[in-house]
Amino acid sequence: MGLIVQKFGGTSVGNIEKIKHVATRVIEEAAQGNEVVVVVSAMGKTTDELVRMANEISNTPSKREMDMLLSTGEQVTISFLTMALLEKGYEAVSFTGWQAGIQAESIHGNARILDIDANRVCEQLSAGKIVVVAGFQGVDTSGEIMTLGRGGSDTTAVALAAALKAERCDIYTDVTGVYTTDPRFVKSARKLQSISYDEMLELANLGAGVLHPRAVEFAKNYGIPLVVRSSIEQEQGTIIEEEVTMEENLIVRGIAFEDSITRVSIFGLTGRLTSLSTIFTTLAKQHLNVDIIIQSITDTGTTNLTFSIKTKDVSEVLNVLESNKKELQFERIETESDLAKVSIVGSGMVSNPGVAAEMFAILADAGIQVKMVSTSEIKVSTVIPDKDMVQAVETLHVKFQLDERMVVKA
């Protein structure tokens, strides 16, 4: 008998019939003799609808009250799912995030989990009950409700798995696993049997929406095996673990992409050694994330700085920079929108030089202009025109042979 944490996303619990189906999947796991903790998201588009209604009241609703509001979505789901389990004859109990002992930092809308006091969950498991926990939420040291931001339920599930020393964490979703790229855009995308934590972390950070980066980070740090699988189909999912053992590694294992990227260029920075740190510290204080960064020094001794951001953050970034212009000491700012980021990821790049050059050649042959580049040991990211994004992904997917069947180790 082991302890299994299961997580079901919004589409998996989108209505009462789906919640009853989820109850069946939970019972299947419990019937094997396992202790089960279930983490759920809000039903379907509940969160989006709550945000819409809040915006009808205020264009800038209180962040505290938004957390109070949005946390109710998951509480509805845990109640319904627990009722369904009880109706099927299984002992179960529902907990909000704070009842489950999830302690979060004091950042409304995007808090991180700091610690979990799992005693109450353990007590209920010892009593033979299935424990159903609301994802996406916790409580800070002042007792204030905090939500965990996008993908918060994934993070809740993996963090609970770590705190409870679970055997594994199953992430149930509307896809059957992790694919070489998004199958909604590339029909030849294939499901991977397994992928390493590092590769999955890069893909998640680069726009692959199947898992949130924080969840993968937790899993890697605590050695929790993750399985991404379908909540509908009885099919083997994708195992995310430290070492990939089920398939021979291709050099490139996946392609991630993200639209709505903007390039911000700051011209005429003074040559102070602290200029860069001051700019990025100023943005970080406002919780504004930048991505690809390029610096160049001009003949006159000034510095030009270019970085990429999500387009939705443009106005806020510009406001922060302009309001701190005197301290930051720059001449002007220019932006370019309608861009996208396309990235290739694979641990095989470490021992295979020239992958970046091959990627650039493939894009050049397709007539696609590369505007920015970022690399690490296992990924190469490019910023390209948004209109070329799908063509770039499709072309790279074929050229790096991701559409071909992988060789399974004996």
Side-chain angles (χ1 to χ4, degrees), residues 119-139:
N119 288 333
R120 195 170 179 186
V121 173
C122 291
E123 287 172 5
Q124 296 301 318
L125 290 171
S126 297
K129 295 182 180 180
I130 296 168
V131 180
V132 183
V133 179
F136 182 63
Q137 59 189 243
V139 63

Side-chain angles (χ1 to χ4, degrees), residues 15-141:
N15 55 44
I16 296 300
E17 282 307 308
K18 288 184 176 181
I19 288 174
K20 289 180 179 179
H21 176 74
V22 165
T24 301
R25 298 301 295 265
V26 173
I27 289 169
E28 288 171 0
E29 196 65 63
Q32 296 180 38
N34 293 314
E35 295 179 312
V36 182
V37 174
V38 188
V39 175
V40 292
S41 300
M43 295 172 63
K45 298 292 184 181
T46 297
T47 301
D48 292 341
E49 181 64 11
L50 291 173
V51 171
R52 184 193 66 77
M53 288 191 288
N55 288 333
E56 286 186 6
I57 296 173
S58 170
N59 291 327
T60 56
S62 158
K63 291 184 177 182
R64 179 190 185 277
E65 298 311 320
M66 284 301 293
D67 274 359
M68 186 68 75
L69 172 68
L70 298 183
S71 65
T72 64
E74 281 70 20
Q75 290 171 221
V76 171
T77 314
I78 60 173
S79 299
F80 283 153
L81 179 56
T82 302
M83 290 175 191
L85 291 167
L86 291 168
E87 189 67 19
K88 291 176 182 289
Y90 278 75
E91 286 296 307
V93 62
S94 66
F95 284 153
T96 62
W98 44 99
Q99 287 175 318
I102 298 171
Q103 299 165 21
E105 61 186 354
S106 301
I107 299 176
H108 285 295
N110 197 31
R112 291 176 178 270
I113 294 174
L114 298 177
D115 195 13
I116 296 181
D117 179 357
N119 288 333
R120 195 170 179 186
V121 173
C122 291
E123 287 172 5
Q124 296 301 318
L125 290 171
S126 297
K129 295 182 180 180
I130 296 168
V131 180
V132 183
V133 179
F136 182 63
Q137 59 189 243
V139 63
D140 73 358
T141 54

Side-chain angles (χ1 to χ4, degrees), residues 225-267:
L226 294 178
V227 180
V228 177
R229 59 198 310 176
S230 170
S231 61
I232 304 299
E233 300 175 41
Q234 293 282 1
E235 185 177 326
Q236 183 179 352
T238 300
I239 299 172
I240 303 166
E241 55 192 347
E242 190 63 49
E243 297 292 334
V244 176
T245 57
M246 297 179 70
E247 297 169 319
E248 295 285 356
N249 287 338
L250 289 172
I251 295 173
V252 174
R253 307 248 312 146
I255 301 174
F257 54 95
E258 187 177 11
D259 61 6
S260 299
I261 300 296
T262 292
R263 179 169 66 171
V264 177
S265 297
I266 305 175
F267 296 94

